[in-house]
Amino acid sequence: TMQTFTYTFAMTASTITNVGLDFFLGLDSADVYIDNVSLIENNCEDCPPVETLSGNTTTNSTYHAAQRVSSDATINANVMYKAGDCIELKNGFSTNPVYDFSGEIEECGGN
């Protein structure tokens, strides 16, 4: 069954010269077909006004919103929330102490 996956990330440095894209497929012995892969640059104007996160976060990432990040997620990775105005940690939000979690108030596109 074909599936579509989308992953959005934010650079954590103004310039990165050593970049790679990896597909980790685990120990599955079935045939895997990867098609129509693209990397798209999003300028800070494209930063969503609100980023709402829930569920289990297991990927190291930075989540950035122009106005507000709102989350009731369980953090099981190294994660940073960045928002222009507000970071709202709602009932149910938790972090695993073996990972780094941080939040910063900064304008979209800031470093």
Side-chain angles (χ1 to χ4, degrees):
T1 304
M2 292 188 61
Q3 294 178 303
T4 299
F5 296 92
T6 301
Y7 179 73
T8 303
F9 72 96
M11 289 178 47
T12 58
S14 59
T15 302
I16 296 177
T17 58
N18 183 15
V19 177
L21 177 63
D22 298 316
F23 296 94
F24 297 100
L25 305 175
L27 299 174
D28 194 340
S29 61
D31 291 339
V32 175
Y33 300 93
I34 298 174
D35 188 18
N36 198 22
V37 175
S38 61
L39 296 174
I40 301 169
E41 178 182 358
N42 286 326
N43 296 323
C44 65
E45 292 84 22
D46 295 331
C47 200
V50 176
E51 181 81 63
T52 302
L53 303 158
S54 62
N56 189 18
T57 301
T58 59
T59 302
N60 295 341
S61 189
T62 298
Y63 298 93
H64 203 164
Q67 297 170 356
R68 177 172 50 92
V69 173
S70 177
S71 176
D72 64 0
T74 300
I75 306 297
N76 285 300
N78 297 316
V79 171
M80 176 180 280
Y81 289 172
K82 293 184 176 185
D85 297 323
C86 173
I87 297 173
E88 178 185 25
L89 304 179
K90 299 168 86 174
N91 189 29
F93 175 85
S94 65
T95 62
N96 186 323
V98 301
Y99 297 105
D100 293 327
F101 171 78
S102 64
E104 294 181 8
I105 301 298
E106 72 172 25
E107 291 183 18
C108 192
N111 295 312

